[in-house]
Amino acid sequence: MDREKQLRDFLLKGDKTYMPRVSVDCVIFGFHEDQLKVLLLRWKDGRWCLPGGFVKWDESVDDSAVRTLQERTALNNIYLQQFHTFGAPDRERGKKLKGIPDSKKSWMHDRFVSIGYYALVEFSKVNPIPDWLSDACHWWDLHKVPALIYDHNEMVEKALEKLRLSLNDHPVGYNLLQEKFTMPELQRLYETILDKRLDRRNFQKKMLSLGILERLKERKTGGAHKAPFLYRFDKKKYERAMKQGLKLGF
């Protein structure tokens, strides 16, 4: 079946497979070179958007978000949190989908309510994959995100707000850093997310008090200063802390 026919069938008959008027959108965060990144798709008409998709009739909304993330990143076991529902009356109704053959009968021209999720992934392990309506899938520095379609810029802002709030209640790092890292690298991650400087001694004291870090005998080499010790997360203790919650007070 040629691509144009696939697209036409999706526009006119997609509601046989997917629930109409309900979608998921994913804000995928990564951390690289002391920058918080977000993964974006570029539609074939040049506009940028968040990775998203539709909910199949035979799957849960959460499963739909997991499937969308796997299709865009090629990763499994992704840290994923539902953070907000977007349902303004005019968010998509009546807007022409540029780059897609127009059809007044298409179920995609109806008003959609979108359920937002944010995900934390290790940057180096992601294989960005565009969907069939896009021609590119790239990381963007969070401070340089372009104008996105619909209310997707609002989604990014809301996801970042929820991530910052979660830092006081749950540890962050296992899904964003490499397996072995230094305490300064962990601190820079927190500072980047919070967009503020943290006291070095106070930060280290708080993180070590959680009991979720294991200091290794190895040191990171290659720097100009004394090589710092490497750490890694104790996965069982980290997962316990995620369930029980914390009170860090950043």
Side-chain angles (χ1 to χ4, degrees):
M1 183 184 298
D2 62 56
R3 200 169 186 81
E4 185 174 340
K5 188 176 188 307
Q6 283 182 319
L7 185 54
R8 181 175 177 79
D9 286 347
F10 176 74
L11 282 168
L12 298 179
K13 304 175 183 178
D15 55 345
K16 305 299 182 183
T17 303
Y18 301 99
M19 295 177 61
R21 303 182 179 86
V22 179
S23 61
V24 296
D25 285 292
C26 303
V27 183
I28 305 174
F29 291 117
F31 184 66
H32 182 61
E33 296 181 346
D34 295 341
Q35 291 181 345
L36 196 61
K37 306 280 190 177
V38 61
L39 196 64
L40 299 177
L41 288 170
R42 184 178 65 198
W43 276 11
K44 293 179 179 179
D45 66 357
R47 294 184 299 168
W48 290 88
C49 67
L50 292 169
F54 304 102
V55 182
K56 293 182 178 180
W57 284 104
D58 60 351
E59 70 182 355
S60 70
V61 176
D62 286 349
D63 286 344
S64 175
V66 170
R67 174 174 54 79
T68 297
L69 285 165
Q70 289 175 337
E71 290 172 352
R72 301 286 73 78
T73 66
L75 292 179
N76 295 309
N77 301 318
I78 299 174
Y79 177 80
L80 182 68
Q81 287 290 324
Q82 186 180 131
F83 68 92
H84 196 72
T85 299
F86 297 85
D90 61 346
R91 69 179 303 268
E92 292 185 38
R93 176 184 287 174
K95 295 183 180 180
K96 184 177 180 181
L97 300 172
K98 297 180 181 178
I100 300 176
D102 195 15
S103 172
K104 293 182 179 179
K105 297 180 181 180
S106 175
W107 60 287
M108 289 183 66
H109 286 281
D110 291 335
R111 173 189 175 186
F112 271 80
V113 171
S114 184
I115 301 170
Y117 289 80
Y118 74 78
L120 307 179
V121 300
E122 186 180 327
F123 180 92
S124 62
K125 292 184 177 180
V126 173
N127 177 29
I129 304 169
D131 63 24
W132 61 299
L133 297 176
S134 308
D135 61 10
C137 185
H138 297 309
W139 289 104
W140 281 74
D141 179 352
L142 188 63
H143 295 293
K144 298 180 180 179
V145 170
L148 307 177
I149 66 169
Y150 306 140
D151 51 3
H152 287 200
N153 288 94
E154 179 187 348
M155 291 182 178
V156 174
E157 293 174 4
K158 181 70 73 172
L160 180 60
E161 176 186 326
K162 293 296 184 181
L163 175 58
R164 285 172 173 168
L165 288 173
S166 75
L167 288 185
N168 288 314
D169 300 316
H170 300 96
V172 170
Y174 182 80
N175 308 86
L176 290 169
L177 295 171
Q178 295 185 2
E179 181 183 1
K180 300 177 183 179
F181 52 87
T182 66
M183 189 64 70
E185 288 172 338
L186 181 61
Q187 181 172 338
R188 284 198 294 273
L189 170 62
Y190 273 70
E191 289 177 336
T192 301
I193 293 173
L194 294 170
D195 198 22
K196 69 178 183 179
R197 297 292 297 273
L198 300 172
D199 180 77
R200 180 180 62 82
R201 291 185 179 180
N202 190 41
F203 177 83
Q204 181 168 320
K205 181 179 179 181
K206 284 184 177 182
M207 296 308 300
L208 292 177
S209 70
L210 300 178
I212 61 176
L213 295 176
E214 176 187 356
R215 194 176 86 168
L216 307 177
K217 295 181 179 180
E218 306 170 56
R219 291 177 180 266
K220 184 170 184 177
T221 59
H225 305 287
K226 182 179 178 181
F229 280 103
L230 289 168
Y231 290 82
R232 67 183 173 198
F233 289 105
D234 183 310
K235 188 174 181 181
K236 290 184 178 179
K237 292 181 179 179
Y238 185 96
E239 291 177 346
R240 190 181 307 127
M242 289 295 292
K243 294 178 180 178
Q244 296 176 348
L246 307 166
K247 292 298 177 184
L248 287 172
F250 285 122

